[in-house]
């Protein structure tokens, strides 16, 4: 199994679920994480990543960490200072239409969104609300482009798009697609030589469907145009994703792998969860398993079954622990507080 991994955690793209997979694998195999200085949950995002943002990094005695997976704005020469040269790089993409809709709800407090009553209203006259110079403007346009380190307000010329795609291809070994999450997990498992249980997951940081509404076609087109660079990235890597499946695995074997993944997931849900599924924040009984609530989104969580034996309880708890709580526990384990 490969143990040196860089995951570019793209916002609002099922990336918290991927992070849980990396946290569990790292914890089980006693690996080190490149944590933000002071144990925060972002590597000084939205600034471009710098090696000195990592707790325990020193240019005089560079230290290599196994897993880099907290939110950052990608800058490969700096990333290379904190991970080994053999590290596997991967990220995840989401259809920019759903991404924009999700961002509008989740980042409702961002300067570009706070005054618009609806996404429709924002898209009618985006420049009434959107100021590229404000420090949180990246949430409102080409968010994936921004996270990959590029200028989200750059012109959309064929040449520029091509250079951007080539740069991403040169840096990353695999780009997952959140709409095909199970297929993505199979590809990830194959690439990292991990076993099935290492990529089993329960969806984390997902929001209650009561805050979701279908978008009319006119809005869909406006979102694509407004996020043109993201759209180019997504359509390109969605295509290469399936090409890779055809080349490396084949559709038939992929179907079997996905079936096995879902069967194991259902088995673990029966073992671990009360009621087998996610619940609204107000119904989560154990406050340590309550995810951060943000913007206008209602973020779902889980209740564990009572009376599990210690080993099973530990395994189940890892699967449903929200990102911030898990990150903080792993940070304390890696950097135990010094007692006076």
């Amino acid at each position: 199994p490969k143990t040196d991994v860089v995951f570019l955690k793209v916002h609002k793209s099922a990336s918290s679920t991927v992070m849980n997979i990396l946290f569990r694998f790292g914890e089980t195999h006693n690996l080190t994480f490149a944590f933000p200085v002071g144990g925060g949950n972002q590597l000084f995002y939205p600034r471009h990543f710098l090696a000195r943002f990592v707790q325990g990094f020193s240019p005089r005695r560079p230290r290599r960490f196994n897993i880099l997976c907290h939110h950052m704005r990608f800058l490969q020469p700096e990333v290379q200072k904190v991970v080994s040269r053999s590290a596997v790089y991967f990220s995840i993409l989401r259809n920019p239409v759903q991404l924009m809709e999700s961002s509008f709800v989740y980042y409702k407090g961002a300067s570009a969104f706070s005054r618009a009553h609806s996404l429709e209203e924002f898209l009618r006259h985006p420049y009434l609300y959107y100021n590229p110079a404000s420090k949180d403007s990246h949430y409102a346009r080409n968010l994936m482009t921004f996270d990959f380190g590029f200028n989200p307000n750059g012109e959309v010329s064929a040449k520029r798009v091509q250079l951007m795609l080539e740069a991403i291809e040169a840096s990353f070994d695999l780009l997952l697609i959140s709409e095909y999450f199970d297929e993505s997990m199979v590809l990830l498992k194959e690439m990292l030589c991990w076993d099935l249980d290492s990529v089993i997951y329960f969806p984390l940081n997902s929001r209650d469907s009561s805050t979701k509404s279908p978008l009319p076609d006119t809005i869909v087109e406006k979102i694509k145009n407004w996020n043109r660079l993201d759209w180019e990235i997504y359509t390109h890597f969605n295509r290469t994703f399936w090409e890779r499946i055809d080349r490396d695995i084949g559709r038939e074997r992929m179907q079997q792998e996905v079936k096995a993944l879902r069967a194991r997931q259902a088995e673990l849900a029966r073992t671990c969860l009360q009621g087998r599924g996610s619940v609204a924040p107000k119904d989560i009984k154990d406050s340590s398993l309550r995810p951060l609530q943000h913007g206008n989104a209602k973020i779902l969580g889980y209740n564990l079954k009572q009376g599990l034996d210690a080993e099973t309880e530990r395994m189940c708890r890892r699967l449903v622990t929200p990102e911030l709580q898990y990150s903080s526990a792993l940070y304390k384990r890696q950097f135990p507080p010094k007692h006076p």
Side-chain angles (χ1 to χ4, degrees):
K2 298 196 167 60
T3 52
D4 293 323
V5 173
V6 174
F7 171 54
L8 177 63
K9 186 175 188 291
V10 169
H11 286 76
K12 310 311 311 150
S13 302
S15 55
S16 295
T17 306
V18 177
M19 203 172 186
N20 176 273
I21 287 167
L22 295 173
F23 281 167
R24 288 185 347 244
F25 188 86
E27 186 180 12
T28 311
H29 295 81
N30 239 337
L31 304 177
T32 57
F33 289 88
F35 284 108
V37 168
N41 60 321
Q42 302 203 341
L43 289 150
F44 295 83
Y45 186 88
R47 293 168 64 185
H48 272 105
F49 176 80
L50 294 173
R52 64 181 169 82
F53 295 164
V54 173
Q55 178 83 43
F57 174 81
S58 143
R60 288 185 301 285
R61 285 178 306 124
R63 179 180 168 196
R64 303 279 186 247
F65 298 87
N66 298 115
I67 297 177
L68 173 60
C69 62
H70 286 72
H71 272 310
M72 63 170 160
R73 190 171 182 209
F74 191 64
L75 187 59
Q76 193 165 15
E78 289 290 317
V79 168
Q80 286 167 334
K81 294 176 185 176
V82 299
V83 295
S84 86
R85 291 178 61 171
S86 61
V88 176
Y89 286 70
F90 76 101
S91 186
I92 187 163
L93 303 172
R94 183 182 185 185
N95 185 317
V97 175
Q98 279 70 47
L99 179 73
M100 176 90 185
E101 188 271 337
S102 177
S103 297
F104 184 81
V105 174
Y106 197 80
Y107 299 114
K108 193 68 185 82
S111 58
F113 292 151
S114 59
R115 289 176 301 117
H117 295 301
S118 65
L119 182 54
E120 213 157 333
E121 188 181 306
F122 172 84
L123 290 161
R124 212 171 292 137
H125 303 290
Y127 284 107
L128 279 181
Y129 307 101
Y130 176 78
N131 174 4
S134 20
K135 63 179 194 311
D136 60 0
S137 67
H138 54 281
Y139 291 122
R141 188 177 201 189
N142 290 315
L143 182 49
M144 294 192 288
T145 302
F146 183 87
D147 285 355
F148 277 96
F150 305 107
N151 173 10
N153 294 295
E155 54 154 353
V156 191
S157 65
K159 182 78 183 136
R160 193 161 176 282
V161 166
Q162 189 192 346
L163 288 171
M164 198 169 65
L165 297 175
E166 283 169 4
I168 295 172
E169 266 170 352
S171 301
F172 288 86
D173 300 290
L174 176 63
L175 286 154
L176 309 175
I177 302 289
S178 68
E179 284 80 11
Y180 304 103
F181 198 83
D182 290 345
E183 290 83 353
S184 292
M185 290 305 99
V186 173
L187 278 183
L188 187 66
K189 168 176 86 75
E190 296 281 309
M191 181 179 72
L192 297 174
C193 307
W194 291 5
D195 62 8
L196 181 67
D197 270 17
S198 297
V199 298
I200 291 291
Y201 67 93
F202 294 149
L204 294 176
N205 208 30
S206 55
R207 70 184 161 113
D208 183 24
S209 56
S210 69
T211 59
K212 296 177 186 173
S213 47
L215 298 168
D217 292 349
T218 49
I219 297 286
V220 169
E221 285 314 306
K222 280 181 178 168
I223 293 176
K224 286 182 195 173
N225 288 326
W226 177 246
N227 297 282
R228 196 84 233 161
L229 293 170
D230 272 10
W231 184 250
E232 295 289 346
I233 291 175
Y234 178 78
T235 48
H236 175 82
F237 288 107
N238 186 18
R239 194 181 68 245
T240 59
F241 177 84
W242 291 100
E243 285 168 2
R244 182 169 186 145
I245 288 173
D246 290 337
R247 187 186 72 226
D248 296 351
I249 295 182
R251 299 280 170 121
E252 202 173 320
R253 190 178 135 224
M254 177 54 89
Q255 274 181 331
Q256 290 161 354
E257 293 270 356
V258 165
K259 205 168 149 188
L261 178 87
R262 287 174 184 165
R264 179 67 179 133
Q265 203 170 17
E267 186 187 338
L268 283 171
R270 285 193 295 274
T271 304
C272 296
L273 304 179
Q274 275 181 36
R276 295 211 195 158
S278 51
V279 296
K282 64 176 179 19
D283 299 324
I284 300 168
K285 299 184 182 83
D286 180 342
S287 62
S288 71
L289 295 179
R290 198 168 287 142
L292 172 77
Q293 301 299 314
H294 203 289
N296 289 348
K298 275 197 203 126
I299 305 299
L300 304 172
Y302 297 91
N303 286 316
L304 291 179
K305 270 190 180 159
Q306 302 296 299
L308 298 170
D309 66 80
E311 176 100 357
T312 308
E313 212 270 350
R314 194 162 57 241
M315 173 200 65
C316 292
R317 183 168 284 275
R318 281 175 175 167
L319 274 162
V320 300
T321 299
E323 176 186 327
L324 301 189
Q325 288 93 311
Y326 208 155
S327 181
S328 139
L330 291 172
Y331 178 81
K332 286 185 188 121
R333 196 177 101 154
Q334 192 167 310
F335 300 103
K338 292 184 175 63
H339 296 292

